[in-house]
Amino acid sequence: MPKSEAGATRRILLVEDHPVERAYLQNMLLALGYRRVAGLGSSIEAVGALTRQYYDVLISDIVMGEGDGTRLPNDLRRLVDAGRLKSMPPIIWISSLSEELLQSHVRLALQAGCPSAQALAKPVSRGAMQQAIKVALHSMDGDTASPHQPKAVRRDLMEAALGQALVSGKGLSVVLQPQISLSTGRVVAAEALSRWTHQDWGAVPPADFVPAAHRLGLDRMLFSRVTDSVLDVLSQMQSEDIAVPIAINASASTLCSRDLPGMLEQRVGQAGLPARLLKVELTEDEPVTDWLALSSTLNLLRVRGFELAMDDFGAGIASMRLFSAMPFTELKIDRDFILHMHREAASRAVVAAAIEMGRVLGRRVVAEGVEQERDVQLLRELGCDVAQGYGISVPLDPAAFIAFCRSR
């Protein structure tokens, strides 16, 4: 049971259209020590309430008469993007729907940007509710943060500070997540992930500052900063006789720049490195608006010796068209399918199909989001040999990454 003072300060928004069930859940939350619980009967009311008041946790039914709960995550995402909501709260779904549909709604909320999402089957037990709220609160502010304040920084302030950081390079860095061969255990590649630490706010999540760079039209500048850092790491590794390709994430708009292939070739040449050590990884965080420009750039990069990876394969509706039309050398299976492949036949089928397609086309296949030993075992059975994820290694700073490569 939460400490009385903590329960008294947390704000919980409960959305349930059935008045009897709503009253039952409100009494349960009260018994658990949560004193500030607002009960509403529709997602429409919930959206309005969240624009007026910050809530630590959102608990919502899914199927409701007025305003379907399914729309909540996307409605809240739009409010955040419009600057009307500081941050999205964690969501706890409550419903009598099947487990498959519950987990589908969990993924929906996470994809929209909720810091955490869980699903509880009705009837909800007191113990399950207590644990779910504990997980939700931890995802927002841990055990020591203020219960009143969301972690999100005002968007206008963050964007101004980000612009300054990208110009100066101050506070920007990269970490590297290893990719290993599941058959040999050796490090075969890595993905560079950008990080930004502000002097007052601390570490700003990439989920916040990367989209901000796109809104500001600074994708290319961020890509350039990460490229500089990666080339420094590759040069150091070459001096130690370690040759491991490193991938840099790039949006479609960045890759539509006509001068990008020449710029990368020049910078790799100046560093005395072969082009094959620098991999360009296309992300699906924005739609492709100019297929001809993208195809032209990707083909030029391949001609000049760079390898190309397609990130989050299967997550976007354009995945198949992109992969079949563009000269990728690698596809990365979206982590969501890896996470659910053990209990969802559909996810497992997608993983198996992606691995087989890579084999037939002669492309390398990388499984993302590998977190458990059972993931490794199943991927081996399905024929996938390269993986990355927290079950293999957390993202490492350059020195730790080089040491990790030496140990392998």
Side-chain angles (χ1 to χ4, degrees):
M1 189 166 180
K3 296 179 181 179
S4 58
E5 61 272 20
T9 56
R10 299 293 189 176
R11 292 184 182 273
I12 297 177
L13 182 59
L14 172 65
V15 189
E16 166 61 68
D17 65 335
H18 195 289
V20 175
E21 289 198 37
R22 186 165 66 247
Y24 167 75
L25 291 167
Q26 284 180 297
N27 287 331
M28 176 190 291
L29 293 167
L30 182 64
L32 288 172
Y34 296 102
R35 309 300 183 191
R36 297 185 176 185
V37 180
L40 299 175
S42 75
S43 63
I44 295 173
E45 292 177 288
V47 169
L50 284 160
T51 61
R52 297 187 297 270
Q53 173 66 60
Y54 172 71
Y55 288 92
D56 295 278
V57 180
L58 171 60
I59 302 173
S60 177
D61 194 359
I62 294 174
V63 180
M64 294 183 283
E66 182 190 351
D68 191 350
T70 297
R71 296 202 300 263
L72 260 176
N74 287 335
D75 286 343
L76 298 181
R77 179 74 263 165
R78 282 192 287 270
L79 290 175
V80 171
D81 291 342
R84 296 179 60 199
L85 186 65
K86 288 184 178 180
S87 62
M88 294 182 69
I91 287 184
I92 301 173
W93 295 116
I94 50 172
S95 179
S96 55
L97 293 173
S98 68
E99 178 66 16
E100 179 183 3
L101 286 173
L102 287 175
Q103 293 307 315
S104 178
H105 280 79
V106 167
R107 294 196 295 275
L108 172 67
L110 293 174
Q111 289 164 0
C114 289
S116 78
Q118 302 166 77
L120 302 178
K122 289 183 177 180
V124 180
S125 71
R126 179 170 165 171
M129 180 66 79
Q130 182 179 18
Q131 179 61 26
I133 293 175
K134 179 180 178 181
V135 171
L137 293 174
H138 182 73
S139 73
M140 288 296 288
D141 54 20
D143 295 330
T144 60
S146 166
H148 296 292
Q149 298 296 331
K151 281 190 170 182
V153 179
R154 270 180 49 190
R155 193 171 84 167
D156 57 341
L157 295 178
M158 182 186 68
E159 290 180 350
L162 177 61
Q164 296 172 359
L166 287 172
V167 170
S168 66
K170 185 177 180 180
L172 296 172
S173 61
V174 300
V175 291
L176 304 153
Q177 187 162 43
Q179 298 172 358
I180 69 162
S181 165
L182 298 181
S183 58
T184 67
R186 295 179 62 85
V187 179
V188 295
E191 178 182 359
L193 304 169
S194 56
R195 295 291 184 263
W196 177 33
T197 303
H198 188 273
Q199 60 181 2
D200 297 324
W201 309 324
V204 180
D208 291 338
F209 76 79
V210 173
H214 175 63
R215 289 194 300 270
L216 294 168
L218 299 176
D219 308 63
R220 175 69 177 266
M221 189 176 291
L222 177 60
F223 178 84
S224 182
R225 287 290 181 188
V226 175
T227 299
D228 288 341
S229 298
V230 168
L231 289 176
D232 287 342
V233 175
L234 287 171
S235 295
Q236 183 179 345
M237 293 175 67
Q238 182 173 250
S239 69
E240 299 190 31
D241 199 26
I242 303 173
V244 176
I246 297 178
I248 304 174
N249 291 307
S251 64
S253 58
T254 297
L255 289 176
C256 284
S257 303
R258 294 180 62 182
D259 65 330
L260 187 70
M263 180 274 290
L264 284 180
E265 184 177 49
Q266 181 182 32
R267 291 169 77 170
V268 167
Q270 290 172 343
L273 296 166
R276 62 179 177 79
L277 290 181
L278 192 65
K279 188 186 305 179
V280 178
E281 187 168 314
L282 173 64
T283 61
E284 277 206 311
D285 50 5
E286 64 177 55
V288 178
T289 57
D290 191 335
W291 285 78
L292 183 59
L294 179 63
S295 178
S296 176
T297 299
L298 294 181
N299 277 286
L300 277 172
L301 287 169
R302 287 290 293 120
V303 167
R304 298 183 186 207
F306 297 96
E307 293 204 353
L308 305 174
M310 181 178 175
D311 194 20
D312 297 335
F313 181 81
I317 59 175
S319 288
M320 193 67 72
R321 181 184 176 192
L322 269 170
F323 190 70
S324 61
M326 306 295 177
F328 292 103
T329 56
E330 173 181 298
L331 72 82
K332 302 181 73 176
I333 306 173
D334 182 68
R335 68 186 67 243
D336 193 57
F337 296 110
I338 304 301
L339 178 64
H340 295 95
M341 64 180 177
H342 299 281
R343 61 182 176 186
E344 293 183 3
S347 291
R348 180 168 178 163
V350 170
V351 173
I355 293 169
E356 177 62 14
M357 184 169 63
R359 185 191 67 79
V360 171
L361 297 177
R363 307 288 193 265
R364 185 185 305 107
V365 177
V366 179
E368 293 189 282
V370 174
E371 296 185 356
Q372 304 178 52
E373 179 58 32
R374 67 173 187 168
D375 297 336
V376 173
Q377 293 174 355
L378 182 52
L379 288 168
R380 283 179 178 145
E381 292 174 13
L382 294 174
C384 182
D385 185 56
V386 182
Q388 73 179 80
Y390 279 68
I392 293 169
S393 172
V394 299
L396 304 168
D397 64 54
F401 172 71
I402 294 174
F404 186 85
C405 290
R406 286 199 213 97
S407 70
R408 296 281 177 145

